[in-house]
Amino acid sequence: MRAICLLLAAAFALSACPAGAEDDPFALLFGDVPDVSVEDRPGEDDVRLVTARLGDLKLAQTLTAYARPEGLCVVAADLFEALESGLQVDAEGARGAFPSPSRTLEIDAAAQRARVAGRSEVDLAGQLFETPEGWCLVEEAWARLLPLSVGYDAARLTLQIDPRETLPIEARLARQALREQIAPRQGAGPDYPKLARPAAWLSWPTIDVALDFRARKGGAMEPLAQIDLAGDLAFATGRLRTAPAGDGGAGVRFALERTFEAGDAPWGASQVRVGDIAGLSQPLIAAATAGRGAAVSNRPAYVARVFDITDIRGPLPAGWEAELYRDGQLVAYQTEPNAQGNYVFANVEIRPGYNRFRVQLFGPYGEREERPVTFFAGADMHPENELQYEIAILEEGRSIDGGALEVPLKTLAARVSYGVSRFATLHLDAKASASGALAGGVSLAAVRGETHGVIRLASRGAGQTASEIGLARQFANRAALDLRYAFNAGLDPISAGAPPEAMRQRARATYDTTVPVLRHGLPVRARIDWEQQRSGATRLRAALRMGASQYGWRWTHTSTLEQRWDDLGAGDPRFDGRLDVSRTVSGVRLRGGVTYGALPGLGVQAAEVSAQRRWSQTGFGQLTLSRDMAEGRTQASASVSRAFGPVAVSATSGIDDRGAWTTGLRLAAALFRDPRAGRFQIAPPGLAQTGAVRAHVFDDLDGDGVMGPGDTPIEQASFIIDQSSRPEATGPGGQVTVAGLPAHRYLDLQLALGSLEDPFLQPAQPGWAVKTRPGQVLDVDVALTLSGEADATLVVVRNGRRVPVAGVTVQAVDQGGQVVAETLSEYDGYVYFGRLPMGEVALRVAPRALAEIGALADPAVIHLSRTSPAAFGQVLEVYPAQTVAALPIQGVDADQ
């Protein structure tokens, strides 16, 4: 920005000079210089305004220098300031330390001598000269005083500075270039309007249908059907599934699910489920079971992308800068401490899993300091001071249609969790049966740095107790160690006794690492399991898995060694292994696998080979040949799948060496009610399981924002959802259904501008935050409008004269005050904007630039429409603030 100030200052000076000096541009800039008696003093004809480059980085837009026979003489105060040296420079000389605290520099301008690092004397005679702007040094002198070399390109008016060691300014400019890339990401995300359809009493259902036809040797054709329906019922999402049962009949599963926004339901509930549902998973008490009943919870209905937000802070000395890195990527920076002398990175997202941050501090003399910060957010952790609960009344093992999945058991289960701090979460569990059996448990999950652990205690029927302890750590090289021990973890939670085969103790150790092998890393997982049953039987199992991708080959190998002990003593040890290899050749994926045993005997147990090929986006085929050595059986099979529009078709067939064969055909599709067409439309399968968006993309010729007969549909338009590009594209009618979206949470939806054939079309609304429910197809009208263009010339005005100004930030602002485009003025003050929205647009100098140079400017307001989409020849006038103190500033927001 200093370069901008110098340019504008030069332009102001141009306009302030008398008309008689117009023939001498340097006199216009600096005024008439009286003759001096010192013959070697640079004259006004020697003035050069040069651009300074530091290595590959731009150091300064303009530096004042003078052409001398001895070389280019650069005004010392200007270059020392551009280098951010911190030296004290005045008419007598310069003094201070640069580029490190130990490298002191003292320059005596009158004596034309210097002292470097307190000991080296440097004679500057014939290399230091007086100028109207202060004394200057020629190129050779700079190289003698500082660890750098200086070269001057007279044709390009460029001063090239190449450091012999890293300078603080060099490191800072490199950091600044990186920071400019993340500047748009430092603020809040896009604030798109929210688009969701509230649940109704009743709606047309979305239907997923899958028809299977199966046949085998010696048997009749078996037609099977599976139907899934999802739709609104009683202001909730109703889901119905019919599927073949084991007895040849059909089973029916039905559930109602209602989700709430925060604060919209009693007790802060976020989700209520009724019907065929899954119960609670309660460690040491009971695994999740299914049955008919009801459940209420304030837990999120989805896995959050952001677990929590926090502030990362620490001391920041004056003159230091701080950068925040997540997994090695720069995400934020600060150049000034707050009032308490700290850096504060506010509202940092904590995501599920490991969050590795690094605060990098940079000092004024190139000092560096690193502070690692680690957060772990696992399934057992909750945000600080957050209370979560879940309650379920369930008849486990029985479905809503009366079918028994297993032995039915009526239970009441509850779980409450509380984030004690950012590093610890407490869980309380309870479960009771209709027979009076009761079980309860407490667990504490905690994390510190790279280590997290959990302790669980439980008491169950007949006074039985159980416990578990776990400890996990990830190391700097991404190796991970996980240790677990459990006592009585396998007991039945409700029954008074325990079967003899129930687990009494078990321990497990898992280690993941990457072993360097030549130029490639070899991922390795080692695991040891030890189990002891109540009967006394014991098992020890060790497994090793490794795999890699090298030179086009992918392979994995797993080996297992197992030893058992019982009342009769130790059994025979077993050692098994499996090797899988794959490679792509001419578009065909070849796979092969071998299962073998080494103990108690050596031999191959099974082997298979397959070939896979994808011949289109929706077409896939596979051939497989396998051999089971234990059964002495060889099988061959083939399968193909292809989507014909929205209908997915797949066929399989197989035969073995005994003549037994099977074959099958599957057809799958979905139906949904299109309210605009007033009828059901066919779509790819899976709509009843997830949410979907049906987008209508069109050129909005009538400007009403709704697709109508007078608008033009846009083909081949695609979308970006939550920063992920989707492959679906609009057809001839400008419509596309994007399915498979996570339900119950807002997703950012925006049009991929690169998919539009006409580059001058742009969406009237940049994006939406859409939320769907299972089975719901949400309609979104994407109205496109012709974008406009404009250009302007930036000039500084003083005393009636206009001088073009380069390197100043100019913005285009829409009617809502949003900056829609930004660019820098060129050497002649010219700026150009494309893709401007229709309507009123203001072209203005960026307020931050005006504030830094102490100037005022009026915006140029233009009006763009389909009949007049361009506005050329605008002029932006900048005024020195001191001459127009009473001039009001229009349309300037000082915060932008």
Side-chain angles (χ1 to χ4, degrees):
M1 191 54 67
R2 171 174 167 78
I4 298 174
C5 299
L6 288 172
L7 282 173
L8 288 175
F12 295 157
L14 276 170
S15 62
C17 294
E22 290 181 3
D23 294 335
D24 188 345
F26 301 111
L28 282 174
L29 285 171
F30 304 105
D32 291 326
V33 180
D35 293 334
V36 293
S37 57
V38 182
E39 294 182 358
D40 60 353
R41 177 170 179 171
E44 59 187 41
D45 293 337
D46 301 324
V47 175
R48 301 293 185 268
L49 296 180
V50 299
T51 296
R53 298 193 64 84
L54 184 65
D56 295 330
L57 301 170
K58 190 173 184 178
L59 179 64
Q61 179 71 31
T62 54
L63 289 179
T64 304
Y66 289 82
R68 294 281 307 171
E70 298 84 356
L72 187 73
C73 194
V74 185
V75 174
D78 289 352
L79 185 52
F80 277 132
E81 182 180 359
L83 290 171
E84 298 181 358
S85 65
L87 296 175
Q88 180 181 350
V89 183
D90 51 31
E92 285 73 29
R95 61 208 63 85
F98 180 76
S100 64
S102 62
R103 190 182 177 97
T104 59
L105 179 63
E106 299 177 35
I107 300 177
D108 187 338
Q112 295 192 341
R113 300 189 65 81
R115 182 183 295 272
V116 179
R119 56 182 182 274
S120 301
E121 291 282 348
V122 179
D123 184 4
L124 299 177
Q127 296 179 333
L128 187 152
F129 302 93
E130 290 293 331
T131 77
E133 290 76 26
W135 51 276
C136 66
L137 291 170
V138 299
E139 302 164 50
E140 181 184 350
W142 291 104
R144 297 173 65 194
L145 298 176
L146 299 175
L148 48 80
S149 60
V150 178
Y152 174 54
D153 186 341
R156 299 172 57 191
L157 290 176
T158 300
L159 187 71
Q160 181 65 43
I161 303 173
D162 293 311
R164 295 193 293 269
E165 61 184 63
T166 301
L167 301 180
I169 178 64
E170 186 179 17
R172 189 192 66 77
L173 289 176
R175 296 195 302 270
Q176 183 62 35
L178 182 60
R179 292 170 184 176
E180 290 176 357
Q181 300 177 17
I182 70 152
R185 303 201 304 266
Q186 283 212 105
D191 187 17
Y192 293 147
K194 294 183 177 180
L195 188 60
R197 189 166 60 209
W201 265 110
L202 185 66
S203 72
W204 290 99
T206 296
I207 308 170
D208 266 324
V209 180
L211 301 176
D212 287 281
F213 303 91
R214 302 176 185 172
R216 59 170 50 95
K217 182 180 179 179
M221 176 71 71
E222 301 176 9
L224 303 173
Q226 178 176 311
I227 301 176
D228 287 273
L229 294 91
D232 292 346
L233 179 62
F235 297 108
T237 299
R239 304 179 68 176
L240 178 75
R241 166 175 288 189
T242 64
D247 57 3
V252 177
R253 304 291 180 266
F254 176 75
L256 281 175
E257 179 184 60
R258 175 75 184 270
T259 60
F260 302 91
E261 296 288 346
D264 289 350
W267 312 302
S270 62
Q271 187 180 44
V272 176
R273 296 174 291 136
V274 179
D276 289 304
I277 61 174
L280 310 187
S281 177
Q282 299 172 292
L284 296 183
I285 295 179
T289 56
R292 59 186 184 185
V296 60
S297 171
N298 73 337
R299 293 175 178 270
Y302 56 91
V303 177
R305 293 172 297 173
V306 179
F307 172 81
D308 196 8
I309 58 173
T310 188
D311 294 344
I312 298 178
R313 65 180 66 220
L316 183 65
W320 286 60
E321 299 178 350
E323 293 181 345
L324 179 65
Y325 290 82
R326 177 197 292 272
D327 295 327
Q329 181 180 6
L330 178 64
V331 294
Y333 62 89
Q334 286 189 355
T335 57
E336 297 288 342
N338 65 1
Q340 290 73 40
N342 294 326
Y343 61 81
V344 180
F345 297 107
N347 299 326
V348 177
E349 294 182 352
I350 303 298
R351 302 169 183 170
Y354 273 101
N355 294 260
R356 291 180 176 82
F357 296 98
R358 172 169 54 90
V359 178
Q360 188 74 56
L361 302 179
F362 301 93
Y365 292 103
E367 304 96 327
R368 297 170 67 97
E369 183 178 336
E370 186 174 300
R371 300 174 185 173
V373 181
T374 302
F375 297 100
F376 176 76
D380 292 328
M381 303 294 295
H382 292 327
E384 184 177 6
N385 297 325
E386 181 173 299
L387 179 70
Q388 293 187 1
Y389 69 86
E390 190 170 4
I391 303 171
I393 301 175
L394 205 64
E395 186 175 11
E396 300 177 5
R398 188 178 295 279
S399 61
I400 202 166
D401 64 352
L405 308 176
E406 52 191 48
V407 179
L409 182 66
K410 298 178 180 178
T411 61
L412 170 64
R415 183 165 222 223
V416 177
S417 305
Y418 180 71
V420 179
S421 72
R422 197 170 56 195
F423 310 103
T425 300
L426 182 67
H427 304 271
L428 300 176
D429 290 279
K431 188 170 186 178
S433 70
S435 61
L438 180 65
V442 58
S443 62
L444 178 67
V447 60
R448 183 174 181 82
E450 303 282 344
T451 304
H452 63 96
V454 62
I455 299 176
R456 298 189 177 99
L457 300 173
S459 177
R460 298 179 294 201
Q464 301 168 355
T465 60
S467 60
E468 182 180 13
I469 184 171
L471 189 67
R473 176 177 175 82
Q474 281 210 357
F475 302 94
N477 60 355
R478 299 301 176 94
L481 177 65
D482 191 339
L483 304 174
R484 302 279 168 172
Y485 171 78
F487 178 77
N488 279 352
L491 296 182
D492 181 75
I494 297 299
S495 63
E501 67 273 10
M503 199 68 60
R504 180 170 182 81
Q505 299 182 80
R506 71 177 176 213
R508 183 186 71 205
T510 304
Y511 184 69
D512 290 280
T513 188
T514 299
V515 178
V517 177
L518 299 177
R519 295 179 302 165
H520 306 278
L522 180 64
V524 176
R525 163 171 284 193
R527 177 167 171 169
I528 299 177
D529 289 277
W530 175 80
E531 298 178 353
Q532 183 186 56
Q533 298 177 349
R534 295 187 66 84
S535 63
T538 305
R539 185 188 75 158
L540 180 64
R541 186 172 183 266
L544 183 68
R545 184 182 187 276
M546 59 184 68
S549 177
Q550 298 171 336
Y551 308 110
W553 293 88
R554 292 180 61 90
W555 65 272
T556 59
H557 181 265
T558 304
S559 55
T560 304
L561 177 64
E562 184 175 309
Q563 177 69 61
R564 293 178 179 269
W565 295 266
D566 55 22
D567 295 340
L568 302 179
D572 292 332
R574 292 185 58 86
F575 183 87
D576 300 308
R578 180 172 177 84
L579 174 65
D580 290 281
V581 180
S582 66
R583 183 181 177 89
T584 300
V585 179
S586 300
V588 178
R589 187 72 170 173
L590 302 177
R591 298 175 182 267
V594 176
T595 303
Y596 65 91
L599 292 175
L602 178 63
V604 175
Q605 300 170 351
E608 68 178 37
V609 293
S610 66
Q612 304 169 347
R613 182 177 178 85
R614 182 177 295 278
W615 61 80
S616 68
Q617 182 120 10
T618 60
F620 177 82
Q622 176 172 316
L623 297 174
T624 303
L625 180 66
S626 62
R627 172 72 177 176
D628 189 322
M629 307 303 178
E631 296 184 4
R633 185 181 182 187
T634 302
Q635 290 181 296
S637 63
S639 63
V640 293
S641 62
R642 176 73 184 272
F644 296 91
V647 180
V649 180
S650 60
T652 61
S653 62
I655 189 171
D656 62 16
D657 55 359
R658 302 172 187 175
W661 57 268
T662 60
T663 187
L665 177 67
R666 182 181 179 88
L667 306 175
L671 297 171
F672 71 96
R673 177 76 174 182
D674 186 346
R676 301 193 179 193
R679 63 179 183 273
F680 274 91
Q681 303 274 19
I682 191 168
L687 281 187
Q689 308 300 320
T690 60
V693 167
R694 185 168 173 82
H696 308 265
V697 185
F698 59 98
D699 188 357
D700 190 15
L701 299 178
D702 55 14
D704 62 356
V706 179
M707 189 171 184
D711 299 322
T712 303
I714 302 298
E715 294 187 60
Q716 296 303 311
S718 59
F719 288 85
I720 300 173
I721 298 181
D722 268 12
Q723 301 181 355
S724 296
S725 298
R726 297 295 300 238
E728 301 92 338
T730 55
Q735 299 173 342
V736 62
T737 301
V738 183
L741 303 182
H744 304 305
R745 68 181 177 93
Y746 283 103
L747 307 170
D748 289 338
L749 170 75
Q750 55 184 322
L751 185 67
L753 297 179
S755 66
L756 299 178
E757 183 178 354
D758 186 347
F760 291 99
L761 286 177
Q762 68 174 12
Q765 170 62 43
W768 300 263
V770 297
K771 183 172 72 170
T772 61
R773 301 186 299 278
Q776 182 189 42
V777 181
L778 185 65
D779 282 287
V780 179
D781 282 307
V782 183
L784 304 182
T785 184
L786 187 68
S787 60
E789 55 183 338
D791 67 4
T793 302
L794 179 65
V795 298
V796 62
V797 179
R798 189 173 186 181
N799 298 330
R801 301 188 61 196
R802 297 183 177 188
V803 180
V805 182
V808 177
T809 302
V810 182
Q811 300 172 332
V813 183
D814 65 13
Q815 299 179 65
Q818 297 295 316
V819 177
V820 295
E822 188 173 274
T823 187
L824 291 176
S825 60
E826 298 181 11
Y827 72 95
D828 56 356
Y830 180 77
V831 292
Y832 170 80
F833 295 102
R835 286 190 174 276
L836 296 178
M838 294 292 103
E840 183 178 290
V841 177
L843 307 182
R844 72 181 189 188
V845 179
R848 60 180 180 272
L850 289 176
E852 290 190 22
I853 63 179
L856 303 176
D858 288 328
V861 179
I862 59 177
H863 297 270
L864 303 176
S865 64
R866 282 189 174 270
T867 57
S868 180
F872 297 130
Q874 307 299 311
V875 177
L876 290 175
E877 298 179 341
V878 179
Y879 301 88
Q882 63 270 22
T883 64
V884 286
L887 183 66
I889 303 177
Q890 303 177 11
V892 173
D893 181 358
D895 294 332
Q896 297 191 37

